[in-house]
Amino acid sequence: MESTFAIIAEPNRRAILSLLASSERSVSELERKLGMPQPLVSKHLRILRDAGFVEARVDAQRRVYRLRPEPLMEVDGWLAPFRRY
């Protein structure tokens, strides 16, 4: 499995995380906002979900994704000693 930093190093994944930081979104919403094809959005969401960055819930016939804070807390912890700079 990729490390937390390898996962967020990919620009499309960071864009997805940024969109999810403001609200839950469906795959089709992410697709429209990012201008990416659905298979590519789904691929990145699968990687983010497998790493624990996002979780999905079923809403009728669509999946709605939301951010999970735990992996971001790992990044925040790593950055803590550098904040004084």
Side-chain angles (χ1 to χ4, degrees), residues 59-71:
D59 180 28
Q61 295 181 9
R62 63 187 189 139
R63 288 188 178 269
V64 177
Y65 285 84
R66 68 177 156 242
L67 208 54
R68 293 187 68 239
E70 294 84 1

Side-chain angles (χ1 to χ4, degrees), residues 6-63:
I7 289 166
I8 61 173
E10 208 289 324
N12 291 317
R13 289 184 219 141
R14 286 196 313 271
I16 290 169
L17 292 172
S18 293
L19 287 169
L20 293 176
S22 62
S23 67
E24 294 183 339
R25 297 184 190 268
S26 67
V27 175
S28 60
E29 288 176 280
L30 292 168
E31 201 180 321
R32 280 192 306 276
K33 293 270 189 189
L34 298 169
M36 282 195 285
Q38 183 274 325
L40 189 56
V41 172
S42 292
K43 173 191 166 197
H44 288 303
L45 284 169
R46 180 178 32 80
I47 292 167
L48 290 168
R49 188 184 64 234
D50 290 349
F53 279 90
V54 300
E55 60 188 7
R57 66 177 172 80
V58 177
D59 180 28
Q61 295 181 9
R62 63 187 189 139
R63 288 188 178 269

